[in-house]
Amino acid sequence: MSSRDLPGTEWPRGGGETGALIRAFDWGATSLGPIATWPQSLKTATDILLQSPVPIVMLWGPEGVMIYNDGYSVFAGGRHPALLGSRVLEGWPEVADFNANVMKVGLAGGTLAYRKTSLILHRHGAPEEVFLDLDYSPVLDESGEPAGVLAIVFDITERVRADERLQIAQRAGRVGAFEWYPETGRLDVSDEYRRIWGFGPEVEVTQDLLVSLVDASDRGVTGPARLVGGGNPLEYSEYRITRPDTGEVRWLGRRGEVLPAEADRPPRYIGVSFDITDMKLAEAALRESEEQFRTLTETMPGFAWSALPTGALNYATQQWLAYSGLSLEQTVADGWLNAIHPDDLQRVAGVWTTCVATGDPYNIEFRLRRHDATYRWFLVRGLPVRDEAGAITRWVGAAAEVEEIVEAREVQASHQQALEEEVETRTRERDRIWNVSRDLLLVTDSAGLVLSANPAWITILGWSEVDLAGRTTEWLQHPEDRERTRVERANIADGQPTQRFENRFLHRDGGYRWLSWTAVADEGLIYCLARDITADKEAQARLRETEEALRQAQKMEAVGQLTGGIAHDFNNLLTGIIGSLDLIQRRIDDGRLSDLGRFMEAATTSAGRAAALTHRLLAFARRQSLDPKAVDVNGLVDSMGDLLRRTLGEQVELAIALAPDAWPAFGDSGQLENAVLNLAINARDAMPGGGKLTIETANTHLDLSYTSRHEDLKPGDYTVLSVTDTGVGMTPEVIAKAFDPFFTTKPIGQGTGLGLSMIYGFARQSGGHARIYSEVGQGSTVRLYLPRFTGETVLVVEDDPAVRLLVVEVLSELGYAAIEAHDGPAALPILESDQRIDLMVSDVGLPGLNGRQVAEIGRQHRPGLKVLFVTGYAENAAVRSGFLDPEMEMITKPFALDQLAAKIREMIER
């Protein structure tokens, strides 16, 4: 298996810039189809051309769709990258007839070769003549039929131009003539000579000047050097010079003759010099072109080969020699036949013999022996090269290893069968789950129209799939839940999955069942699962009733403790009242009325103290539900001082240490009073011989390292209330059970075991925590951690002062901070500020900007702003008109205060 066939591997790999373009190109828009569906023959040919440094383009299919490499992209000039994936006749319209003939011959299995061909191309937006060496050969598909044409393109324009320039120069006599005088080093030169060397007319030309401009590595062939050596100093030579006028390096040729001396005259040294730079560049380009072609065959994956028209092999690349371990001589002497697997030999020889006889392309897969005697699968292809008369002059071909591809085909066939079996199994399993699930399963479109429903709908709600299909479920939803459900469905359709969303659905018997939903949207459909939680809801209700009964029982236990503690105080108070009234009666009987006021004041004072005690006792005994809000812990503890002292008695000293900066806590003040009283009573009972009770407040921050060790406790700020006694203390075993319901260490009949458990439950319900610290004989400390009250803020926009006052008062009772605005313009600066706003309560019919307009402006600055509209119009009409967006709700006038409070709390806590 090749790397391009491995899962997760992009193909083709490498190929430089053009390879990346091929990977990114939308081939599905061409006749080739998506790249993943390309036949192996196309992929192999693409791999070969991408790895080649030589400009190569492949024209695939009848349309000649173009695939090429980096080398060809340079040749294409401004036409790249638009040529990639285009049809060749459309890509090069100026040579459409030429390419049409190429496609005709190539797809018929023929080859074409052009040398120094002149074409007019528009590579850079304008016509230009180029000279090309072109070789075309067909590319065969898996069936052995030509499926494309491979073109190797050599741009020899510069070489041709150089040859032309050289010929023109020669014809025009553009050579520089000179006469050299070695004895003085002076030269007489022509104007052309000066031009070639880059001298101006004012420069005196000497042999030293010329030698200084010659490249140091070439100075050995100059005239002065050869004259010293005794040879012909003007024998033809070539060297590089640096022109003094431009700094350009040029190649020059020089040729001359030494004329023998005459009479008393010395020999004459006459010659010519000419620029051969273009010729040198052309020679270098030719060598490079030839080297590139050789490199192409030597760097191809697999190996290349050629054969005589008779079919006898006469060449193979180094890759074959290295693979087989054979020499070239052994290979061409039919040694390659011995490398074919015995089981494949007859088939291979038969196909090769037929192709040689018919001239058909050679295309076959067979196994070849490696130098280590192992066999590997190869795809071997060959094409005949024909002369202009159509006669075969030679065969050329290539072989690519396809061992992994052959193995992959076998594995793919096996995997395909296994996959089909697994799909069938999974389908049966899915259908079985759908049919036997005890949960409600539902599939809808994005608008909520039911597409399918499982049989559990009949079992749980009595509705069949026929009853549900083609309509939404709004007709089944409880009227109070429809708006919430509509918003939730819209969120799911927008890609937000939902978990544990609860609402009520109509049963066929007329009742409603509570359902808990999990749903997710995928490809335009919504997949839903709902569980019947009606029994859970009923159990929760019973549990709340039981907890309330336990809480009341615990309160009554505290009241019982109170009555014994304050009985002595009531006797004293009653004595003061009765005694004062008795003295007043006697003074009246005796006619002494002057000082009756003193006794009346004493009776009134005692009666007031008795009333205060009675009020406190009734407050503890009163049944009430948990109502968390902001609690001033310091104020609460301070107000309980007198009651606690009377409850504790004279043997217990009470100390109250309140932190002056203690934060307000979030909780139920009545429950907190009850907790403090119960903790004080427990502490008193733990100090039968008397002692000291200390109540403290403090602020603290619980970090993640602490809260992670306690269930449902969140990191954050907490207000701490501590109750410490100097009593008998607790053992670790007692501490571990102290918060358990009905656990008590008191004798039977003296305690219910509910006090600490109810305190612990109150702390947990408030989002807080409770801990006990104790040592036997040293005393105990119980600490309550209540969440710091941060205070949600509500903006009230109402032009009617009475209604605005009413809403603000409700917010105050709920513990929320309120900001007032008498109309829309007054509300806008608040909405545009950094002030925290958790909810906006606004009248719809405001003067000027109405409530809906204020909300829209507010959401531009606060996209998630929750809005509660107050209106005198019918709520249903507003909803039907599309007035409400998500996170908007409405309450109609007139409304009960409890209804307003419930709606505000529900929206803030959502």
Side-chain angles (χ1 to χ4, degrees):
M1 181 182 293
S2 66
S3 61
R4 64 168 173 262
D5 297 307
L6 291 172
T9 302
E10 283 193 325
W11 181 89
R13 299 183 64 185
E17 175 195 357
T18 311
L21 290 174
I22 291 174
R23 289 190 290 274
F25 192 84
D26 181 13
W27 294 102
T30 72
S31 59
L32 274 60
I35 197 168
T37 65
W38 285 9
Q40 188 58 50
S41 55
L42 176 55
K43 289 186 176 182
T44 300
T46 302
D47 279 339
I48 291 173
L49 70 88
L50 284 178
Q51 301 305 317
S52 173
V54 175
I56 298 179
V57 59
M58 181 164 55
L59 315 175
W60 193 263
E63 297 177 345
V65 177
M66 301 179 70
I67 306 171
Y68 50 84
N69 61 7
D70 281 349
Y72 189 87
S73 71
V74 175
F75 164 77
R79 286 273 174 88
H80 172 73
L83 284 179
L84 187 65
S86 69
R87 302 179 181 92
V88 65
L89 301 186
E90 298 172 357
W92 295 105
E94 61 271 30
V95 289
D97 293 339
F98 179 88
N99 284 323
N101 181 63
V102 168
M103 293 299 298
K104 177 180 178 182
V105 174
L107 293 180
T111 62
L112 292 171
Y114 298 93
R115 296 293 177 265
K116 201 175 177 180
T117 298
S118 172
L119 295 175
I120 303 298
L121 300 180
H122 296 235
R123 297 188 295 179
H124 302 286
E128 59 176 318
E129 183 181 26
V130 296
F131 293 87
L132 306 174
D133 283 350
L134 301 168
D135 290 282
Y136 296 95
S137 56
V139 181
L140 308 183
D141 61 15
E142 282 71 6
S143 65
E145 295 296 322
V149 179
L150 191 71
I152 302 175
V153 181
F154 291 102
D155 187 350
I156 61 171
T157 304
E158 286 301 318
R159 187 178 72 189
V160 171
R161 297 298 186 203
D163 290 341
E164 290 176 350
R165 286 192 294 269
L166 182 59
Q167 293 170 8
I168 292 172
Q170 291 174 342
R171 287 195 301 269
R174 297 187 63 180
V175 294
F178 67 88
E179 184 169 353
W180 174 37
Y181 304 95
E183 64 278 7
T184 64
R186 186 178 61 82
L187 287 90
D188 289 333
V189 300
S190 66
D191 291 342
E192 186 64 19
Y193 188 95
R194 288 179 177 277
R195 189 196 64 79
I196 292 172
W197 279 81
F199 297 140
E202 75 284 354
V203 176
E204 182 182 0
V205 180
T206 66
Q207 69 180 34
D208 291 340
L209 175 61
L210 296 180
V211 171
S212 69
L213 297 176
V214 175
D215 189 277
S217 61
D218 297 337
R219 290 174 184 172
V221 299
T222 61
R226 285 185 170 176
L227 185 62
V228 173
N232 177 10
L234 297 182
E235 183 181 355
Y236 178 76
S237 60
E238 298 174 350
Y239 44 75
R240 288 159 292 179
I241 70 164
T242 302
R243 287 177 60 109
D245 56 346
T246 64
E248 182 183 6
V249 175
R250 305 289 295 180
W251 275 96
L252 300 183
R254 186 221 55 212
R255 185 187 304 277
E257 294 183 11
V258 180
L259 301 180
E262 297 179 359
D264 58 348
R265 298 186 65 180
R268 295 181 65 190
Y269 298 84
I270 300 174
V272 294
S273 182
F274 40 89
D275 192 320
I276 61 171
T277 303
D278 290 342
M279 183 184 71
K280 284 290 186 181
L281 292 175
E283 291 175 352
L286 179 59
R287 286 194 300 272
E288 182 181 1
S289 175
E290 292 172 347
E291 180 63 21
Q292 286 179 343
F293 186 76
R294 186 191 66 80
T295 302
L296 172 63
T297 60
E298 295 292 344
T299 58
M300 287 172 53
F303 47 83
W305 54 271
S306 66
L308 300 174
T310 60
L313 201 70
N314 65 349
Y315 172 74
T317 58
Q318 287 295 325
Q319 291 95 319
W320 163 253
L321 305 182
Y323 175 84
S324 65
L326 300 174
S327 66
L328 183 59
E329 291 76 13
Q330 291 172 319
T331 298
V332 300
D334 288 341
W336 71 278
L337 292 172
N338 296 327
I340 300 174
H341 194 284
D343 294 344
D344 300 335
L345 181 57
Q346 184 176 357
R347 177 171 56 89
V348 172
V351 173
W352 179 236
T353 300
T354 300
C355 289
V356 170
T358 62
D360 294 334
Y362 181 61
N363 186 62
I364 190 172
E365 287 183 2
F366 56 89
R367 288 163 288 182
L368 288 169
R369 186 180 65 236
R370 198 163 56 185
H371 58 80
D372 59 2
T374 60
Y375 285 89
R376 307 284 289 179
W377 280 96
F378 280 81
L379 171 63
V380 181
R381 288 174 172 163
L383 295 173
V385 179
R386 302 176 185 270
D387 59 18
E388 294 181 357
I392 296 176
T393 59
R394 69 182 185 275
W395 287 81
V396 295
E401 185 177 325
V402 293
E403 177 74 19
E404 294 178 346
I405 296 176
V406 172
E407 292 178 355
R409 284 202 298 259
E410 297 174 354
V411 172
Q412 184 179 12
S414 175
H415 285 180
Q416 181 66 27
Q417 181 178 358
L419 179 62
E420 291 174 356
E421 293 175 354
E422 184 172 352
V423 168
E424 183 179 354
T425 299
R426 292 291 177 86
T427 301
R428 288 198 302 269
E429 291 174 352
R430 185 206 61 186
D431 292 343
R432 188 178 301 114
I433 292 172
W434 178 270
N435 291 323
V436 305
S437 174
R438 300 177 64 182
D439 293 327
L440 302 176
L441 302 178
L442 191 70
V443 181
T444 77
D445 63 14
S446 58
L449 294 177
V450 175
L451 303 178
S452 60
N454 72 331
W457 283 83
I458 298 177
T459 306
I460 296 175
L461 292 177
W463 306 108
S464 68
E465 186 175 30
V466 175
D467 298 323
L468 302 171
R471 56 198 300 200
T472 70
T473 60
E474 285 197 9
W475 63 282
L476 294 174
Q477 298 162 15
H478 193 285
E480 296 177 0
D481 300 337
R482 285 174 185 165
E483 179 58 29
R484 290 191 307 109
T485 305
R486 189 180 299 118
V487 172
E488 192 69 19
R489 190 194 68 224
N491 291 337
I492 297 170
D494 288 341
Q496 303 176 22
T498 188
Q499 291 184 342
R500 294 188 293 276
F501 174 76
E502 298 178 359
N503 61 6
R504 289 161 289 183
F505 265 47
L506 179 67
H507 192 281
R508 187 177 284 275
D509 62 10
Y512 283 91
R513 296 294 183 92
W514 277 99
L515 303 178
S516 176
W517 293 86
T518 298
V520 65
D522 184 37
E523 296 183 355
L525 299 179
I526 300 177
Y527 298 88
C528 312
L529 180 148
R531 179 159 296 173
D532 185 354
I533 59 170
T534 305
D536 295 340
K537 286 287 187 180
E538 293 172 350
Q540 290 172 7
R542 290 193 297 270
L543 178 61
R544 285 193 296 270
E545 293 174 359
T546 303
E547 289 176 346
E548 180 61 27
L550 289 174
R551 190 179 293 111
Q552 188 64 20
Q554 184 262 343
K555 280 188 175 184
M556 297 314 296
E557 179 185 358
V559 171
Q561 295 285 346
L562 276 175
T563 56
I566 63 176
H568 178 71
D569 287 316
F570 264 106
N571 285 334
N572 289 338
L573 294 172
L574 291 174
T575 299
I577 295 170
I578 295 171
S580 295
L581 294 175
D582 187 42
L583 288 173
I584 291 172
Q585 183 64 47
R586 290 183 181 184
R587 294 296 177 94
I588 292 174
D589 292 343
D590 294 339
R592 293 180 296 168
L593 306 179
S594 60
D595 58 350
L596 291 181
R598 179 163 57 92
F599 300 111
M600 292 178 65
E601 181 179 353
T604 301
T605 300
S606 296
R609 291 172 60 195
L613 285 174
T614 303
H615 176 77
R616 205 67 174 180
L617 186 63
L618 290 174
F620 279 108
R622 184 171 60 248
R623 178 184 295 272
Q624 56 188 7
S625 59
L626 197 64
D627 185 20
K629 61 179 65 174
V631 178
D632 180 2
V633 180
N634 280 358
L636 183 144
V637 173
D638 189 56
S639 69
M640 294 181 66
D642 290 342
L643 179 62
L644 291 173
R645 288 185 178 90
R646 292 187 178 91
T647 302
L648 296 173
E650 297 177 355
Q651 289 184 309
V652 177
E653 176 188 354
L654 175 64
I656 298 177
L658 304 178
D661 59 346
W663 296 321
F666 180 73
D668 185 295
S669 59
Q671 291 297 319
L672 183 58
E673 280 186 341
N674 194 29
V676 172
L677 180 61
N678 273 278
L679 290 174
I681 293 172
N682 285 347
R684 181 198 66 189
D685 294 344
M687 300 182 288
K692 183 177 181 179
L693 175 68
T694 303
I695 301 178
E696 302 171 275
T697 60
N699 300 327
T700 190
H701 179 82
L702 301 182
D703 58 21
L704 184 61
S705 63
Y706 182 89
T707 59
S708 61
R709 301 194 300 269
H710 303 280
E711 184 180 1
D712 296 332
L713 188 61
K714 298 178 180 179
D717 293 334
Y718 289 81
T719 304
V720 184
L721 187 148
S722 303
V723 178
T724 303
D725 64 60
T726 58
V728 296
M730 305 182 209
T731 65
E733 293 77 15
V734 172
I735 293 175
K737 298 180 180 179
F739 289 133
D740 292 350
F742 305 109
F743 175 79
T744 181
T745 58
K746 298 177 182 179
I748 297 174
Q750 296 186 19
T752 64
L754 295 173
L756 285 178
S757 68
M758 297 302 293
I759 292 170
Y760 181 75
F762 158 66
R764 291 290 301 277
Q765 280 184 304
S766 302
H769 180 53
R771 288 291 302 276
I772 298 176
Y773 305 88
S774 183
E775 293 184 18
V776 176
Q778 300 298 317
S780 303
T781 297
V782 179
R783 288 180 181 163
L784 298 182
Y785 297 80
L786 296 177
R788 178 183 180 181
F789 180 78
T790 56
E792 288 85 354
T793 302
V794 179
L795 173 61
V796 180
V797 188
E798 172 61 63
D799 60 317
D800 188 315
V803 176
R804 188 168 68 248
L805 175 65
L806 177 67
V807 175
V808 170
E809 183 63 26
V810 171
L811 291 171
S812 177
E813 290 185 0
L814 293 174
Y816 300 129
I819 303 175
E820 299 181 49
H822 62 276
D823 59 13
L828 295 185
I830 302 172
L831 291 168
E832 295 170 357
S833 70
D834 295 332
Q835 169 71 45
R836 172 176 176 174
I837 298 177
D838 299 280
L839 173 69
M840 183 177 80
V841 179
S842 175
D843 187 11
V844 174
L846 294 172
L849 290 174
N850 63 40
R852 189 63 171 82
Q853 292 171 325
V854 173
E856 289 179 356
I857 297 173
R859 285 197 167 183
Q860 293 176 7
H861 302 279
R862 304 168 183 265
L865 180 65
K866 301 174 182 177
V867 183
L868 174 60
F869 290 113
V870 180
T871 181
Y873 296 100
E875 179 179 359
N876 290 340
V879 172
R880 283 196 301 270
S881 65
F883 185 84
L884 298 179
D885 286 342
E887 296 297 335
M888 289 183 177
E889 295 201 17
M890 182 173 292
I891 186 170
T892 56
K893 304 174 186 176
F895 48 76
L897 293 184
D898 288 344
Q899 181 187 4
L900 176 63
K903 180 66 74 173
I904 291 174
R905 178 177 293 167
E906 186 268 332
M907 290 192 69
I908 289 182
E909 295 178 356
R910 182 181 302 166

